[in-house]
Amino acid sequence: MTKIGMLTVLFLCGWSLWGWATGEGDQIIGQWYSEDRNQKYEIFQSGTTYSARLIWMAEPNHPDGSPKLDENNPDPAKRRQPLVGMTVFWGLTYRNGSWVNGKTYSPKQGRTADCSLRLRSNNELELTGSVGFVKRSRIWKRA
């Protein structure tokens, strides 16, 4: 390999690591409202990946005052877990302006799906969940 070829490879490797080292992926860290503003989520870094947990609900309790639980979870041992505090997506890695290769869990359906995120603007986050060829996107607003 020529000196120019070697320098080009080193430059490209350094350039790709620059975004990771400067914390570009951290742009999504913080609190976000769901589309209907009935839930608030906190996105946080967990090692080298990003996750989110539900931190607030407009109606966190049933009419009798008991907390809403993860009643549709396929794992019976988790059905008594309160929704508030639950991790709803995890394992996302930042790559080329998007957060990819994550998983999301829907307590309403009791299902897990693949997910990715991308910032539409500083205050709008697009979440896309997919199972096979079926995709569904939501827009969260920064709190």
Side-chain angles (χ1 to χ4, degrees), residues 19-20 23-30 32 43-46 48-52 89-104 114-122 124-130 142:
W20 175 77
E24 282 184 39
D26 294 352
Q27 297 172 67
I28 61 170
I29 291 176
W32 297 84
I43 297 178
F44 57 96
Q45 189 168 7
S46 177
T48 59
T49 64
Y50 296 86
S51 302
F89 64 73
W90 60 92
L92 288 155
T93 55
Y94 180 73
R95 189 178 320 137
N96 300 324
S98 295
W99 293 261
V100 296
N101 299 326
K103 295 288 185 188
T104 185
D114 295 328
C115 74
S116 63
L117 309 175
R118 79 176 178 88
L119 279 173
R120 291 174 46 152
S121 71
N122 190 43
E124 284 190 343
L125 183 65
E126 181 177 16
L127 296 87
T128 302
S130 60
R142 195 177 293 274

Side-chain angles (χ1 to χ4, degrees), residues 21-113:
T22 58
E24 282 184 39
D26 294 352
Q27 297 172 67
I28 61 170
I29 291 176
Q31 296 183 0
W32 297 84
Y33 283 109
S34 61
E35 279 185 326
D36 59 11
R37 298 186 69 85
N38 285 331
Q39 297 95 23
K40 190 189 310 184
Y41 300 88
E42 178 183 31
I43 297 178
F44 57 96
Q45 189 168 7
S46 177
T48 59
T49 64
Y50 296 86
S51 302
R53 71 179 135 250
L54 178 61
I55 60 170
W56 174 85
M57 294 175 65
E59 296 182 19
N61 298 322
H62 293 288
D64 67 2
S66 63
K68 291 184 178 176
L69 305 175
D70 189 14
E71 297 168 351
N72 297 319
N73 197 306
D75 180 350
K78 295 182 178 179
R79 291 181 187 156
R80 306 253 336 121
Q81 176 180 323
L83 295 180
V84 174
M86 173 184 288
T87 299
V88 294
F89 64 73
W90 60 92
L92 288 155
T93 55
Y94 180 73
R95 189 178 320 137
N96 300 324
S98 295
W99 293 261
V100 296
N101 299 326
K103 295 288 185 188
T104 185
Y105 173 72
S106 169
K108 190 174 189 177
Q109 299 172 335
R111 290 189 192 158
T112 301

